[in-house]
Amino acid sequence: GEDVEQSPFLSVREGDSSVINCTYTDSSSTYLYWYKQEPGAGLQLLTYIFSNMDMKQDQRLTVLLNKKDKHLSLRIADTQTGDSAIYFCAAHGSSNTGKLIFGQGTTLQVKP
Amino acid sequence: GAVVSQHPSWVICKSGTSVKIECRSLDFQATTMFWYRQFPKQSLMLMATSNEGSKATYEQGVEKDKFLINHASLTLSTLTVTSAHPEDSSFYICSARDLGGEGATFFGPGTRLTVL
């Protein structure tokens, strides 16, 4: 089955760019997602990318997809303290019914 | 994007009682919804797939008699935690896929259950 991996922690200074990385195993995943979770809150869909795209940009967020290496990254430009949260990468399982397989999450710490 | 709501957002109950959590897709129809639970500082664990008009599909290790799922309409799925115990305390989150749109999956805001 699908397996999604993320590094657990990233610390950056305010104003710098953050890059959160993710790898997945199932090359048939049609959509790949990035969700943000603040303490005590639910999941906020940040952005998603369809598997036939290499890059998607939305304001401060840039998603890069390398299908060959099964590698997904999320770049946050001009990182702010409000960006501190846990970021989850997720991919559809091989059935593509909508069931998502999540990485363990990357805690982003933004220092002032 | 599409909106998925959950009710209640938080609930506190006594051990042995049952709690019902609702998940609604507000502006799209969802023949399939998903229920996850999340323990503190952990990732989401899929519990079951809720299918409109048929039985839910449970993941391995999830007790179907304890976590009752009903998908009565194309916009509503309910999860009932029966005879809740303190170890059931968790964050329960539902999701639905908007097949009428771009096909992305949207999550509800979650329900925090605390069993005393």
Side-chain angles (χ1 to χ4, degrees):
Chain A
E2 176 77 274
D3 189 26
V4 179
E5 298 282 339
Q6 296 178 242
S7 50
F9 187 77
L10 176 66
S11 180
V12 300
R13 293 216 173 271
E14 192 173 19
D16 288 349
S17 291
S18 307
V19 180
I20 303 171
N21 294 302
C22 169
T23 57
Y24 60 99
T25 56
D26 189 343
S27 57
S28 66
S29 294
T30 52
Y31 283 96
L32 297 134
Y33 299 81
W34 284 104
Y35 290 91
K36 176 184 179 183
Q37 187 176 37
E38 297 182 15
L43 288 173
Q44 174 194 354
L45 176 62
L46 283 179
T47 187
Y48 58 91
I49 188 167
F50 192 54
S51 59
N52 67 354
M53 299 168 66
D54 298 323
M55 185 183 86
K56 181 177 181 181
Q57 187 160 1
D58 183 3
Q59 299 183 333
R60 292 191 296 124
L61 304 178
T62 303
V63 178
L64 294 177
L65 174 60
N66 181 328
K67 282 197 71 176
K68 175 175 171 288
D69 295 337
K70 300 190 190 73
H71 182 267
L72 182 73
S73 68
L74 174 70
R75 179 177 180 270
I76 306 172
D78 187 25
T79 312
Q80 303 297 307
T81 54
D83 294 325
S84 294
I86 301 176
Y87 290 80
F88 290 97
C89 167
H92 279 140
S94 57
S95 64
N96 271 326
T97 59
K99 177 165 67 173
L100 293 185
I101 309 301
F102 282 82
Q104 290 302 308
T106 299
T107 299
L108 175 63
Q109 179 190 65
V110 182
K111 296 179 181 178
Chain B
V3 177
V4 176
S5 71
Q6 281 184 243
H7 178 80
S9 54
W10 59 269
V11 56
I12 301 172
C13 69
K14 292 182 179 179
S15 188
T17 60
S18 294
V19 173
K20 180 187 283 188
I21 303 169
E22 293 185 348
C23 176
R24 292 181 186 273
S25 55
L26 295 187
D27 49 3
F28 66 100
Q29 293 182 331
T31 55
T32 306
M33 293 183 176
F34 301 89
W35 288 97
Y36 296 79
R37 70 186 294 184
Q38 185 182 31
F39 291 106
K41 300 187 188 301
Q42 293 188 25
S43 188
L44 279 75
M45 181 191 79
L46 178 66
M47 297 175 66
T49 302
S50 173
N51 303 299
E52 189 269 334
S54 64
K55 291 182 180 180
T57 306
Y58 290 81
E59 296 299 303
Q60 192 172 4
V62 178
E63 298 175 63
K64 61 180 180 181
D65 295 330
K66 180 163 185 66
F67 299 101
L68 301 178
I69 291 172
N70 184 278
H71 197 141
S73 76
L74 288 170
T75 59
L76 173 64
S77 174
T78 61
L79 168 69
T80 301
V81 182
T82 62
S83 186
H85 288 96
E87 57 265 30
D88 298 323
S89 298
S90 189
F91 199 44
Y92 291 87
I93 308 175
C94 72
S95 74
R97 191 176 185 188
D98 182 12
L99 291 173
E102 290 186 300
T105 296
F106 297 89
F107 281 80
T111 297
R112 185 164 301 284
L113 170 63
T114 301
V115 185
L116 301 177

